[in-house]
Amino acid sequence: MTERYVLDLQEVDETQVAVVGGKGAHLGGLSRIEGIRVPAGFCVTTDAFRRIMAEAPSLDDRLDQLSRLNPDDREAIRTLSAQIRRTIEGIAVPDDLTAAITRALARLGEQAAYAVRSSATAEDLPTASFAGQQDTYLNVVGPTAILQHVSRCWASLFTERAVTYRQRNGIDHRTVHMAVVVQRMVFPHASGILFTADPVTGNRKVATVDAGFGLGEALVSGLVNPDVFKVRHGEVVATAIAAKQRAVHALPTGGTQEVAIDSRRQEQPALTDAQVVRLVQLGRRIEAHFGRPQDIEWCLVDDGFQIVQSRPITTLFPIPETGDQENHVYVSVGHQQMMTDPMKPLGLSMWQLTAMVPMHTAGGRLFVDVTRRLAAPASRAGLLDVMGRGDPLVRDALETVLDRDDFVPSLPDAGPGGPPTGGTSATIETDPAIVPELIERSQTSIAALEHDIRTKTGPALFEFLLEAFEEHKRVLSDPLSMQAIMAGMEATWWLNDTLQEWLGEKNAADTLTLSAPDNVTSEMGLALLDVADVIRPHSEVVAFLQGVEDEGFLDELAKLAGGTEARDAMEAYLDRYGMRCVGEIDITRPRWRERPTTLVPVLLDNVRNFEPGAAERRFEQGRQKAQQKEQDVLSRLRALPDGDRKAGEAKRMIDRVRTFIGYREYPKYGIVSRYFVYKQALLEEAERLVQADVLPQKEDIFYLTFQELHDVARSNEADDRLIQQRKDVFRSYHALTPPRVLTSDGEAVTGAYRREDVPAGALIGLPVSAGTIEGRARVILDIAEADLEAGDILVTTFTDPSWSPLFVAVAGLVTEVGGLMTHGAVIAREYGLPAVVGVERATRLIRDGQRIRVHGTDGYVEILP
């Protein structure tokens, strides 16, 4: 029986995480790789841990208490976890367990020095590293001390930070067990960490080595700055040698001590270049064994490397799979669609099936491969121009990649370059009848979809949807629709560029597009003001809405005075806009119609902050401002040399922009309207699968691709394990930051604003809506938590159309993601809100409640004292 308690490192591998924990399993796997030396040792298994936990029945109640605590209640967690640790450390280790550990020590040398290291079962996993969660003790000498430190490792499963981490990540304390690794201590000349991919840029071809003298604890604990070496293709390509003033050394009696390093040695590299290259070769061997980039702790002993730990690097953004060895350059779709959160598998596959260009997935996000278009000079110029107008950071990142002569191949222009960038707007007249006609076409097509889908179920529904996706793409690629969008955008660009040249005025088009007609997104924000007008006079309704939590609240309204009118107004709003929501390009996200409580806080803000009739007044004020601006611009132009011609051209472009710019928002509204029809049909299908016991719950379909769901509908069989695995992976994707530009080497290329005209300390972004405003910053990451007052400036990661009801209540806008023609920018201009988008890390650099000044004309934000 006792052999279950102790296993030699040579006996285990990475499949045995449940027995020896993540660290033990990885070390066992490492010790089996040819040419990799791992210090000898053994694992005290999770069976031993369970045996110890069973010795103290009181632990059961305490674990129950712990699981009920709020992760933010730090005081309660600190107290309870300390009690649990004391209890575990106080349990006498049973005789048979003591004997098993002592026998293993006798085999390796009883009086040698050992490292005693925690190895939890939820550690060093592909989706969560748990790095630094539990404890390691170095240079422990003698069986009594080793047993005592094994107990400490068991107890360290309940350090305050480990408990909080598990609670925040939804991991049940009872499902995690602790093994302990006991290894012969090595006394290295140098030690450190090797990342087989660059942890900063993500480049898989560049390895980074951090090195210092003595034991690695000095680096891990931040006591010294390491020497840093970067290696690419087997040669050191960058070196930074640090002044290493201290090191951690082992004491003969046990334990460790900080020592000062002789001043003559401080500036010496801890490794030679040849040693660095050899270490990276070992790292590549380890990486190949585990199948993904690794974070490796190493020691240099007598000119040989020993590996003391290896775990996956969990912070790297994954690379789209292509199945070839060619170089690829990918541009993020999320940054263009204002949705950089991860999408669930059904959402990804539905967008791929209805998109106009092929898209690749990685890290729960979508990317377009632009390599071919970058390779040929003509398509490259068009791509850079369109990307640069939309988001200068994307253009700069692409130019950074192009500057590396060898990465993007050069192709002749005749090559298949994908669809041309730019448009064919030259052929379209400025005809006010065009946009209403396009809107009618779209509505007719959606009405036909709603009618035809009603009778479809089972596999027939999926066959029908595949045809519907073709119609979806046909409507999207309607040449007249494309021309109308490009006409509005190109007229905007013409006005901004030309009026700056002729009149020296920046972003003149911003005022000229105020309250443009036919903009379904800006109408949506104003329409919610009208709903607030209906609700405002009824104090019972307002009071009721302040306490609403249940999604069925609309039915309850009818019982209150004025409730029927309030309900009818909200129902009418949801009929027109209920298919919208935050992150709406992901079909799996709950729509307003499914979760109307989302709108309640915004509605109550409108009731509080506005007078009756605000929507009409706002729209009319904007229209008049635009009209005055037009008269002002034209009269100033007429006063110039050749003024009548210039004024005539500008007038044509102003008419053109006002005719077409509002339509820019409509195709997205059409897509999302269709999505809601698809989604309702798929959820009905999911309900059928739940009734047939094929799936435990409807929402499980979100973790299957459309094709996989089609197969489930045909076979009436679902893979529960696959769904669970997808849920875990999806959770892990939230921790990743998607790059604007990604290469097939895994490098996340961040562009920069190359600007000199900005005050020191200001946050730089893209100017998308003119004007300057000062006010209180409201950093809001979830629209349902909006609590705005007049004059506030909205600061958030990204805004898609669902945020526009908030725009009517704020005085300015700052986002981390966005471009000149993305939804937030278009609506900010229509509402006359000064706005700066594409401000990197804005939600972290600006604190909620700080006063800021937004320079919407010049594209920067100042944080005020």
Side-chain angles (χ1 to χ4, degrees), residues 317-334:
F317 200 85
I319 307 172
E321 287 175 22
T322 56
D324 63 32
Q325 297 302 306
E326 306 292 313
N327 287 349
H328 294 270
V329 182
Y330 302 99
V331 171
S332 159
V333 173

mmCIF file of all heavy atoms in Angstrom, residues 317-334:
data_model
loop_
_atom_site.group_PDB
_atom_site.id
_atom_site.type_symbol
_atom_site.label_atom_id
_atom_site.label_comp_id
_atom_site.label_asym_id
_atom_site.label_seq_id
_atom_site.Cartn_x
_atom_site.Cartn_y
_atom_site.Cartn_z
ATOM 1 N N PHE A 317 -0.270 34.844 -27.172
ATOM 2 C CA PHE A 317 -1.464 34.770 -28.013
ATOM 3 C C PHE A 317 -1.267 33.643 -29.024
ATOM 4 O O PHE A 317 -0.222 33.565 -29.661
ATOM 5 C CB PHE A 317 -1.709 36.105 -28.739
ATOM 6 C CG PHE A 317 -3.124 36.224 -29.196
ATOM 7 C CD1 PHE A 317 -4.100 36.696 -28.337
ATOM 8 C CD2 PHE A 317 -3.500 35.790 -30.463
ATOM 9 C CE1 PHE A 317 -5.429 36.760 -28.737
ATOM 10 C CE2 PHE A 317 -4.822 35.840 -30.870
ATOM 11 C CZ PHE A 317 -5.791 36.328 -30.004
ATOM 12 N N PRO A 318 -2.259 32.742 -29.178
ATOM 13 C CA PRO A 318 -2.068 31.616 -30.115
ATOM 14 C C PRO A 318 -1.927 32.094 -31.565
ATOM 15 O O PRO A 318 -2.261 33.238 -31.889
ATOM 16 C CB PRO A 318 -3.351 30.796 -29.950
ATOM 17 C CG PRO A 318 -3.969 31.269 -28.675
ATOM 18 C CD PRO A 318 -3.538 32.686 -28.497
ATOM 19 N N ILE A 319 -1.440 31.201 -32.416
ATOM 20 C CA ILE A 319 -1.213 31.528 -33.838
ATOM 21 C C ILE A 319 -2.262 30.794 -34.672
ATOM 22 O O ILE A 319 -2.525 29.621 -34.429
ATOM 23 C CB ILE A 319 0.189 31.072 -34.294
ATOM 24 C CG1 ILE A 319 1.257 31.619 -33.356
ATOM 25 C CG2 ILE A 319 0.474 31.489 -35.721
ATOM 26 C CD1 ILE A 319 2.650 31.058 -33.606
ATOM 27 N N PRO A 320 -2.884 31.472 -35.656
ATOM 28 C CA PRO A 320 -3.827 30.759 -36.529
ATOM 29 C C PRO A 320 -3.152 29.555 -37.193
ATOM 30 O O PRO A 320 -1.983 29.639 -37.584
ATOM 31 C CB PRO A 320 -4.205 31.814 -37.578
ATOM 32 C CG PRO A 320 -3.941 33.131 -36.922
ATOM 33 C CD PRO A 320 -2.770 32.901 -36.014
ATOM 34 N N GLU A 321 -3.885 28.457 -37.308
ATOM 35 C CA GLU A 321 -3.309 27.260 -37.933
ATOM 36 C C GLU A 321 -3.473 27.353 -39.448
ATOM 37 O O GLU A 321 -4.552 27.660 -39.937
ATOM 38 C CB GLU A 321 -4.027 26.006 -37.412
ATOM 39 C CG GLU A 321 -3.656 25.681 -35.977
ATOM 40 C CD GLU A 321 -4.445 24.525 -35.412
ATOM 41 O OE1 GLU A 321 -4.963 23.704 -36.208
ATOM 42 O OE2 GLU A 321 -4.561 24.448 -34.177
ATOM 43 N N THR A 322 -2.384 27.100 -40.163
ATOM 44 C CA THR A 322 -2.459 27.185 -41.627
ATOM 45 C C THR A 322 -2.084 25.873 -42.302
ATOM 46 O O THR A 322 -2.475 25.614 -43.426
ATOM 47 C CB THR A 322 -1.489 28.262 -42.174
ATOM 48 O OG1 THR A 322 -0.174 27.945 -41.697
ATOM 49 C CG2 THR A 322 -1.887 29.640 -41.717
ATOM 50 N N GLY A 323 -1.285 25.067 -41.606
ATOM 51 C CA GLY A 323 -0.866 23.806 -42.219
ATOM 52 C C GLY A 323 0.268 23.966 -43.213
ATOM 53 O O GLY A 323 0.620 23.028 -43.919
ATOM 54 N N ASP A 324 0.851 25.180 -43.315
ATOM 55 C CA ASP A 324 2.029 25.336 -44.182
ATOM 56 C C ASP A 324 3.157 25.996 -43.379
ATOM 57 O O ASP A 324 2.964 26.382 -42.241
ATOM 58 C CB ASP A 324 1.705 26.156 -45.448
ATOM 59 C CG ASP A 324 1.287 27.591 -45.113
ATOM 60 O OD1 ASP A 324 1.779 28.146 -44.103
ATOM 61 O OD2 ASP A 324 0.483 28.175 -45.863
ATOM 62 N N GLN A 325 4.318 26.093 -44.003
ATOM 63 C CA GLN A 325 5.480 26.678 -43.317
ATOM 64 C C GLN A 325 5.760 28.102 -43.809
ATOM 65 O O GLN A 325 6.804 28.666 -43.533
ATOM 66 C CB GLN A 325 6.731 25.800 -43.554
ATOM 67 C CG GLN A 325 6.603 24.395 -42.964
ATOM 68 C CD GLN A 325 6.331 24.420 -41.463
ATOM 69 O OE1 GLN A 325 7.059 25.039 -40.707
ATOM 70 N NE2 GLN A 325 5.254 23.762 -41.029
ATOM 71 N N GLU A 326 4.818 28.669 -44.584
ATOM 72 C CA GLU A 326 5.033 30.006 -45.149
ATOM 73 C C GLU A 326 4.887 31.086 -44.065
ATOM 74 O O GLU A 326 4.266 30.846 -43.041
ATOM 75 C CB GLU A 326 3.977 30.293 -46.237
ATOM 76 C CG GLU A 326 3.896 29.245 -47.338
ATOM 77 C CD GLU A 326 5.130 29.246 -48.206
ATOM 78 O OE1 GLU A 326 5.540 30.339 -48.618
ATOM 79 O OE2 GLU A 326 5.693 28.156 -48.445
ATOM 80 N N ASN A 327 5.413 32.268 -44.370
ATOM 81 C CA ASN A 327 5.182 33.417 -43.490
ATOM 82 C C ASN A 327 3.793 33.989 -43.751
ATOM 83 O O ASN A 327 3.362 34.085 -44.907
ATOM 84 C CB ASN A 327 6.224 34.510 -43.746
ATOM 85 C CG ASN A 327 7.583 34.125 -43.202
ATOM 86 O OD1 ASN A 327 7.707 33.146 -42.465
ATOM 87 N ND2 ASN A 327 8.604 34.880 -43.548
ATOM 88 N N HIS A 328 3.106 34.386 -42.680
ATOM 89 C CA HIS A 328 1.783 35.001 -42.828
ATOM 90 C C HIS A 328 1.696 36.237 -41.945
ATOM 91 O O HIS A 328 2.289 36.277 -40.866
ATOM 92 C CB HIS A 328 0.674 34.032 -42.406
ATOM 93 C CG HIS A 328 0.545 32.830 -43.288
ATOM 94 N ND1 HIS A 328 -0.263 32.807 -44.395
ATOM 95 C CD2 HIS A 328 1.152 31.614 -43.236
ATOM 96 C CE1 HIS A 328 -0.163 31.617 -44.982
ATOM 97 N NE2 HIS A 328 0.702 30.882 -44.301
ATOM 98 N N VAL A 329 0.923 37.217 -42.413
ATOM 99 C CA VAL A 329 0.643 38.421 -41.628
ATOM 100 C C VAL A 329 -0.878 38.515 -41.482
ATOM 101 O O VAL A 329 -1.604 38.473 -42.483
ATOM 102 C CB VAL A 329 1.172 39.698 -42.317
ATOM 103 C CG1 VAL A 329 0.912 40.930 -41.445
ATOM 104 C CG2 VAL A 329 2.656 39.567 -42.626
ATOM 105 N N TYR A 330 -1.339 38.622 -40.237
ATOM 106 C CA TYR A 330 -2.779 38.653 -39.961
ATOM 107 C C TYR A 330 -3.173 39.992 -39.340
ATOM 108 O O TYR A 330 -2.449 40.525 -38.512
ATOM 109 C CB TYR A 330 -3.148 37.553 -38.958
ATOM 110 C CG TYR A 330 -2.777 36.163 -39.414
ATOM 111 C CD1 TYR A 330 -1.600 35.554 -38.959
ATOM 112 C CD2 TYR A 330 -3.591 35.457 -40.296
ATOM 113 C CE1 TYR A 330 -1.251 34.275 -39.377
ATOM 114 C CE2 TYR A 330 -3.248 34.180 -40.724
ATOM 115 C CZ TYR A 330 -2.079 33.590 -40.265
ATOM 116 O OH TYR A 330 -1.732 32.334 -40.669
ATOM 117 N N VAL A 331 -4.349 40.486 -39.746
ATOM 118 C CA VAL A 331 -4.900 41.704 -39.141
ATOM 119 C C VAL A 331 -6.142 41.319 -38.345
ATOM 120 O O VAL A 331 -6.974 40.527 -38.803
ATOM 121 C CB VAL A 331 -5.248 42.746 -40.223
ATOM 122 C CG1 VAL A 331 -6.016 43.918 -39.622
ATOM 123 C CG2 VAL A 331 -3.980 43.265 -40.888
ATOM 124 N N SER A 332 -6.265 41.874 -37.146
ATOM 125 C CA SER A 332 -7.388 41.565 -36.254
ATOM 126 C C SER A 332 -8.705 42.088 -36.826
ATOM 127 O O SER A 332 -8.808 43.258 -37.201
ATOM 128 C CB SER A 332 -7.124 42.217 -34.893
ATOM 129 O OG SER A 332 -8.321 42.362 -34.173
ATOM 130 N N VAL A 333 -9.715 41.212 -36.865
ATOM 131 C CA VAL A 333 -11.065 41.614 -37.282
ATOM 132 C C VAL A 333 -11.740 42.369 -36.130
ATOM 133 O O VAL A 333 -12.458 43.338 -36.340
ATOM 134 C CB VAL A 333 -11.899 40.361 -37.660
ATOM 135 C CG1 VAL A 333 -13.353 40.727 -37.923
ATOM 136 C CG2 VAL A 333 -11.280 39.677 -38.873
ATOM 137 N N GLY A 334 -11.468 41.930 -34.906
ATOM 138 C CA GLY A 334 -12.112 42.535 -33.737
ATOM 139 C C GLY A 334 -11.848 44.023 -33.599
ATOM 140 O O GLY A 334 -12.717 44.780 -33.167
#
